[in-house]
């Protein structure tokens, strides 16, 4: 019953909490840049405005692909909150990203197609680490299932410090934070500006942003898995860790300049080999 409640709460509340965290992101970013910044509820106002606009799509497929992106993200997160297989959840997360790439490349805009190509390059860079993280949880806890991982006698972070650092890197890429905001950006500071979302507007763009909020909550939930175990106070530590990692991502976004795609792949594969590979090797030996 508790797992069902967790699933329902995720499906219902994830977009609202994700939008609120987006508002916090904008507020902190503005303060770091010496500005007052928008209201914390600005993302909600943006969604209302987008849904109120006329439905305009460059083709009949884009809306379907964006809806598929949203649905697959909801399923991926739902699997984690329901306590099922984290490996399958991460595979579905990758499938959702493919739908977003297809949506961006379904029109003739050069900016949108460049964004789609860069999104694919980003996937190539972080997918190896994603797989290693799932394998790491299995080696550290003996299971891929989330409900069994959180019942361990100690937190997984003690066995997976390298993989945790790698996951922070992955989050920066998947949240499209500098220096890894190649495909699109929430701030107008790159040459392709909106990249994959260039040709998205109105409800189509709103659906994509809600999908991002589901993805954000899924990623933060995985951060929590590194810290949550069979004691009640570990949940508090997990929540604090999620907020701390999210702040780190905002800080990195505001102090780093964007790198090119070659440097992105070099950095990600280097971190994957050093942090992820060595951590997996140690887990296999012990």
């Amino acid at each position: 019953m508790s797992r069902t409640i967790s699933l329902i709460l995720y499906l219902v509340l994830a977009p609202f909490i994700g939008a609120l965290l987006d508002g916090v992101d904008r507020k902190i970013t503005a303060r770091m840049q010496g500005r007052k910044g928008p209201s914390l509820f600005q993302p909600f106002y943006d969604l209302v405005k987008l849904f109120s606009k006329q439905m305009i799509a460059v083709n009949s497929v884009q809306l379907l692909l964006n809806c598929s992106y949203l649905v697959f993200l909801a399923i991926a997160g739902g699997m984690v909150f329901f306590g099922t297989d984290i490996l399958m959840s991460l595979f579905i997360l990758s499938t959702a990203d493919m739908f977003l790439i297809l949506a961006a490349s379904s029109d003739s805009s050069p900016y949108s197609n460049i964004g789609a190509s860069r999104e694919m390059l980003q996937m190539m860079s972080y997918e190896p680490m994603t797989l290693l993280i799932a394998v790491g949880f299995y080696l550290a806890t003996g299971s891929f299932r989330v409900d069994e991982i959180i019942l361990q006698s100690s937190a997984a972070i003690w066995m997976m410090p390298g993989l945790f650092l790698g996951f922070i890197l992955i989050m920066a890429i998947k949240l499209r934070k500098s220096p890894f905001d190649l495909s699109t950006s929430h701030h107008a500071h790159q040459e392709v500006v909106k990249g994959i979302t260039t040709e998205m507007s109105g409800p189509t763009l709103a659906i994509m942003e809600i999908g991002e909020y589901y993805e954000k909550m899924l990623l933060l939930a995985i951060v929590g898995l590194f810290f949550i175990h069979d004691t009640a106070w570990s949940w508090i530590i997990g929540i604090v860790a999620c907020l701390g990692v999210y702040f780190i991502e905002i800080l990195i976004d505001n102090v780093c300049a964007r790198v090119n795609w070659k440097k992105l792949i070099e950095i990600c594969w280097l971190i994957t080999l050093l942090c992820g590979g060595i951590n997996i090797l140690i887990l296999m030996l012990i």
Side-chain angles (χ1 to χ4, degrees), residues 36-101:
K36 180 179 179 181
S39 166
L40 288 177
F41 301 102
Q42 188 61 47
F44 296 99
Y45 303 148
D46 293 341
L47 287 176
V48 171
K49 184 176 181 179
L50 288 173
F51 276 118
S52 67
K53 289 181 176 292
Q54 181 182 357
M55 176 70 73
I56 298 177
V58 294
N59 54 60
S60 58
V61 179
Q62 190 180 75
L63 178 60
L64 175 62
L65 293 171
N66 271 21
C67 288
S68 300
Y69 170 70
L70 171 61
V71 169
F72 273 84
L73 283 174
I75 293 173
M79 292 184 68
V80 170
F81 279 83
F82 194 66
T84 55
D85 197 319
I86 187 173
L87 179 61
M88 184 59 66
S89 174
L90 292 175
F91 280 142
I92 295 176
L93 177 61
S94 298
T95 304
D97 289 338
M98 288 303 303
F99 278 107
L100 180 61
I101 292 171

Side-chain angles (χ1 to χ4, degrees), residues 242-262:
C242 289
L243 296 176
V245 168
Y246 192 66
F247 177 77
I248 291 173
E249 301 294 355
I250 297 173
L251 180 62
I252 293 173
D253 187 30
N254 284 277
V255 300
C256 296
R258 185 173 61 83
V259 299
N260 59 36
W261 66 270
K262 291 182 181 180

Side-chain angles (χ1 to χ4, degrees), residues 258-269:
R258 185 173 61 83
V259 299
N260 59 36
W261 66 270
K262 291 182 181 180
K263 184 62 67 174
L264 168 67
I265 294 178
E266 290 175 3
I267 293 173
C268 287
W269 287 3

